[in-house]
Amino acid sequence: MVNRFNFLLNSLNIWGDIIKRERLLIIVGVILISCLGLFMIYSSSKIWAEYKYNDEFKYLKNQLIFFIIGLILMFNISRIDYHIYAKIAKDVAAGAV
């Protein structure tokens, strides 16, 4: 299974330094669960959206926009060295309270 992911990374060669092999399964899992959530939002809201907005994809489109924004943020934040987070963790925790 891991060899297939290695082949995928090497053949596409678009992931570069952003994603290491160890992180690939986590990222694929997050994307699959998010896609399942998108499907559930569509299936649970299509009748109401068709009735109210005359567009059964209204809520799906809204969630898809935020899904794409979330993916972009996830990839950009994953490029930041985690040692920086350790330096500011106390300040963030104090600000959260």
Side-chain angles (χ1 to χ4, degrees):
M1 188 77 163
V2 175
N3 291 335
R4 290 181 183 173
F5 287 122
N6 289 339
F7 174 73
L8 179 66
L9 285 176
N10 292 334
S11 65
L12 293 176
N13 200 15
I14 59 172
W15 298 99
D17 293 330
I18 298 173
I19 301 173
K20 303 286 188 231
R21 281 182 276 145
E22 303 85 32
R23 298 182 198 166
L24 181 63
L25 288 176
I26 294 172
I27 291 172
V28 168
V30 167
I31 291 172
L32 287 175
I33 290 172
S34 298
C35 289
L36 178 65
L38 287 171
F39 174 73
M40 294 178 86
I41 286 172
Y42 169 70
S43 66
S44 66
S45 65
K46 68 179 180 177
I47 294 172
W48 178 253
E50 177 71 30
Y51 171 74
K52 188 169 183 180
Y53 300 108
N54 202 20
D55 180 15
E56 67 180 36
F57 299 106
K58 167 80 171 144
Y59 295 114
L60 180 65
K61 290 179 202 175
N62 291 342
Q63 285 300 118
L64 195 59
I65 290 169
F66 287 109
F67 173 69
I68 292 169
I69 291 171
L71 283 179
I72 292 169
L73 287 173
M74 181 177 71
F75 284 119
N76 287 333
I77 289 173
S78 72
R79 298 177 78 183
I80 299 173
D81 185 23
Y82 69 91
H83 292 101
I84 295 172
Y85 297 133
K87 293 177 185 175
I88 63 171
K90 291 182 182 177
D91 296 331
V92 171
V97 174

